[in-house]
Amino acid sequence: TRGPGLAGSGSAGGPPSTVTWCALFFYHVAATQASLLLSFVWMPALLPVASRLLLLPRALLTMASGSPPTQPSPASDSGSGYVPGSVSAAFVTCPNEKVAKEIARAVVEKRLAACVNLIPQITSIYEWKGKIEEDSEVLMMIKTQSSLVPALTDFVRSVHPYEVAEVIALPVEQGNFPYLQWVRQVTESVSDSSTVLP
């Protein structure tokens, strides 16, 4: 009879044979590979669940206190006092560096912007009047107060050589507070006045 020994052992109570050890080894290797494969397949599906679990303690505390949850603000965490979105980065494309420099200098002189970066040699591919066009352009990245974007847009449109000038702006949610404060200080006098003349 076979006792508590492993199946395939040499004798009823003797040590397992080499064949048995090899079979066990390959079984464990196969099981390990299968579990690794499953973890790679299922891990992406589990990540959203795991990230929600991290929020569970906060949600439980909120329910226990009876107060609505508040979103942490990166600015308030640093104690900077920056209001997210009060500064914007506006983007304007120009046909060449000469035009871009003229517009950049004018918007800084008029305090419509604190700083303008010129990024040369970008390639723009676009549809215009039914045709696909490709042009080399200069990209202007303009830092200003969000409240000045309409005045900045009006000025750029008044001096830009394109029939339809690209002026798009994105609010800055966070960044280096001294820099953001500087942008606001440099453009402050314009934001206090109601109109900006070209």
Side-chain angles (χ1 to χ4, degrees):
T1 71
R2 294 185 188 264
L6 297 172
S9 59
S11 61
S17 68
T18 305
V19 174
T20 303
W21 280 113
C22 288
L24 284 173
F25 174 77
F26 287 115
Y27 169 78
H28 287 291
V29 168
T32 303
Q33 288 175 342
S35 65
L36 280 173
L37 179 62
L38 281 175
S39 68
F40 287 125
V41 171
W42 288 100
M43 189 56 69
L46 294 177
L47 284 177
V49 174
S51 65
R52 283 191 221 119
L53 288 176
L54 293 174
L55 298 175
L56 188 58
R58 184 168 171 230
L60 290 174
L61 285 173
T62 300
M63 288 189 309
S65 68
S67 61
T70 58
Q71 292 294 332
S73 166
S76 64
D77 289 345
S78 65
S80 68
Y82 174 69
V83 177
S86 59
V87 169
S88 286
F91 299 91
V92 175
T93 52
C94 294
N96 56 53
E97 194 170 346
K98 180 180 182 289
V99 170
K101 282 184 177 179
E102 289 172 359
I103 294 173
R105 186 168 301 280
V107 297
V108 171
E109 286 173 354
K110 293 178 176 300
R111 294 185 176 261
L112 290 171
C115 175
V116 180
N117 302 110
L118 302 182
I119 305 167
Q121 299 177 346
I122 65 164
T123 300
S124 297
I125 301 171
Y126 56 96
E127 187 274 334
W128 182 249
K129 297 185 177 180
K131 290 175 53 183
I132 303 299
E133 303 285 346
E134 181 174 326
D135 287 314
S136 177
E137 295 182 300
V138 175
L139 178 64
M140 300 171 60
M141 185 169 69
I142 304 167
K143 276 75 72 179
T144 187
Q145 287 191 59
S146 297
S147 61
L148 291 176
V149 171
L152 173 70
T153 303
D154 289 344
F155 176 75
V156 169
R157 288 176 58 200
S158 72
V159 297
H160 203 286
Y162 288 169
E163 186 179 335
V164 178
E166 173 187 346
V167 183
I168 57 174
L170 302 171
V172 176
E173 292 300 314
Q174 54 187 317
N176 180 21
F177 176 67
Y179 181 83
L180 298 171
Q181 187 177 31
W182 170 77
V183 170
R184 291 184 57 81
Q185 287 172 350
V186 168
T187 57
E188 198 65 44
S189 62
V190 175
S191 67
D192 291 340
S193 65
S194 58
T195 58
V196 177
L197 299 174

